[in-house]
Amino acid sequence: MFLSNMLVTHGQQGWEIAHQLLVDLFLFLEPHLRRNELTASVKEFYKGTLRVLLVLLHDFPEFLVSYHLSFCNVIPDNCVQLRNLILSAFPRGMILPDPFTPNLKIDLLPEIAQSPPVYSNITGPLGGMQTDLDEFLSSGQKKAFLAGLLPRLCKDKSNTIDAARVNSLVLYVGMKAMNRLHNSQIAHSLAHTPEMEILQKLMEFDDRGRFISLNAIANQLRYPSSHTHYYSCVMLFLFSEAKDDGVKEQVTRVLLERLIVHRPHPWGLLITFTELIKNQRYQFWNQPFTRCATEIEQVFESVAKSCIPPGASSAVVSGRGLLQ
């Protein structure tokens, strides 16, 4: 009742306070959730947090939509369902297209022309690198910035990657790209933009850094919007252009682990994974990691069946025929 009263205030005057209270809640839970061993009292507290998020998802989805970045910054990597709840929010009144519609053309959806609201502080975590970043994005000529980018994404005086800074960087460069590119150009122009150079540079991180970077991209796969369209194209591009099989495996891991938990699943996540496994261009079922163990193969096929509408060819689901 207290939180809902804050969110119905005129002109969204209570939103920033409610946002900070939720951030503090996640920060309190973070060390407990990261350990994966919860006491009975913390378990009850966590269940209560899920209930609060479900209420917000149902009654105030625009609030979750607007502050998704700062919420994701303080939720541990292993809390996939908690993150999915926030990223599944979409504006009231919007009817989501069925993500399993055959031959669905995302770039033709009218919602793709609209950008989602972002009330979180995007530039704050970037700190002093924003000026150099803007210069590189405007000209693409200062290759020294690109060469020195990865160390600048670590916390001060350490080799620990600053996940919040990576999250902000990924969203910031994407928004810059969308200001220049028309939606119909995105899928065909990704390889020739300074923004894509930065996103590909992130794939030169070690496994941990790539995982954080790919999660930052996956956090933008939400309801139909210009952001979801752009980052879906980015994720698929990184998979198709990767020379290192480890990158393809991590792209798959980031998408898959968000799908194997209980619903809800973000619309953009379903769209991206479905495109990855169905489109012959990506040769997903020919990748060695999809056949490395019987158990892994069964997981892929189980998720594939849930992502392909009834009546689709079993060859698609099993990775034979159409995708080979």
Side-chain angles (χ1 to χ4, degrees), residues 90-146:
F90 59 92
R92 283 173 293 183
M94 174 180 283
I95 300 176
L96 297 182
D98 184 353
F100 307 131
T101 301
N103 302 317
L104 177 65
K105 302 296 184 183
I106 304 176
D107 55 331
L108 299 181
L109 296 175
E111 295 88 353
I112 295 304
Q114 302 171 7
S115 297
V118 180
Y119 293 173
S120 301
N121 183 0
I122 302 174
T123 58
L126 296 177
M129 69 180 290
Q130 184 184 351
T131 301
D132 295 338
L133 174 61
D134 286 338
E135 289 181 6
F136 175 79
L137 293 176
S138 62
S139 66
Q141 300 300 315
K142 293 198 172 185
K143 300 301 180 183
F145 169 79
L146 201 61

Side-chain angles (χ1 to χ4, degrees), residues 19 22-23 26-27 30 34 53 64-88 120 162-168 171 212 215-222 258 266:
H19 156 252
L22 270 184
V23 168
F26 293 140
L27 287 173
E30 191 269 344
R34 195 174 292 279
L53 286 179
L64 296 180
V65 164
S66 301
Y67 289 104
H68 82 288
L69 177 65
S70 46
F71 292 150
C72 288
N73 282 345
V74 292
I75 294 176
D77 299 335
N78 57 319
C79 297
V80 180
Q81 186 181 19
L82 197 63
R83 193 182 305 109
N84 272 359
L85 277 173
I86 292 169
L87 300 180
S88 295
S120 301
D162 189 332
R165 192 172 302 167
V166 173
N167 288 342
S168 286
L171 182 55
I212 290 173
N215 266 309
I217 296 171
N219 287 344
Q220 309 310 320
L221 302 176
R222 301 187 287 154
R258 294 175 182 230

Side-chain angles (χ1 to χ4, degrees), residues 96-263:
L96 297 182
D98 184 353
F100 307 131
T101 301
N103 302 317
L104 177 65
K105 302 296 184 183
I106 304 176
D107 55 331
L108 299 181
L109 296 175
E111 295 88 353
I112 295 304
Q114 302 171 7
S115 297
V118 180
Y119 293 173
S120 301
N121 183 0
I122 302 174
T123 58
L126 296 177
M129 69 180 290
Q130 184 184 351
T131 301
D132 295 338
L133 174 61
D134 286 338
E135 289 181 6
F136 175 79
L137 293 176
S138 62
S139 66
Q141 300 300 315
K142 293 198 172 185
K143 300 301 180 183
F145 169 79
L146 201 61
L149 174 62
L150 300 189
R152 299 178 75 171
L153 295 174
C154 294
K155 295 179 180 178
D156 295 338
K157 299 180 181 180
S158 76
N159 293 322
T160 304
I161 297 170
D162 189 332
R165 192 172 302 167
V166 173
N167 288 342
S168 286
L169 174 70
V170 166
L171 182 55
Y172 187 80
V173 300
M175 292 174 70
K176 289 289 187 179
M178 284 177 274
N179 286 337
R180 292 190 298 102
L181 299 175
H182 189 272
N183 283 314
S184 61
Q185 300 174 319
I186 288 176
H188 307 290
S189 306
L190 283 176
H192 309 293
T193 63
E195 292 85 3
M196 197 64 224
E197 286 188 77
I198 289 176
L199 296 172
Q200 285 186 294
K201 184 67 177 180
L202 297 179
M203 297 302 102
E204 297 180 15
F205 265 131
D206 59 14
D207 288 347
R208 174 62 181 164
R210 282 203 305 261
F211 179 70
I212 290 173
S213 301
L214 290 169
N215 266 309
I217 296 171
N219 287 344
Q220 309 310 320
L221 302 176
R222 301 187 287 154
Y223 65 91
S225 69
S226 59
H227 287 197
T228 294
H229 180 216
Y230 178 79
Y231 289 102
S232 180
C233 292
V234 166
M235 190 72 88
L236 294 170
F237 181 86
L238 291 175
F239 184 94
S240 64
E241 297 298 314
K243 302 297 188 293
D244 181 358
D245 285 344
V247 174
K248 295 184 178 182
E249 187 171 347
Q250 281 193 295
V251 168
T252 305
R253 174 197 169 182
V254 166
L255 297 176
L256 188 66
E257 71 179 8
R258 294 175 182 230
L259 287 170
I260 59 177
V261 298
H262 293 299
R263 294 175 182 176

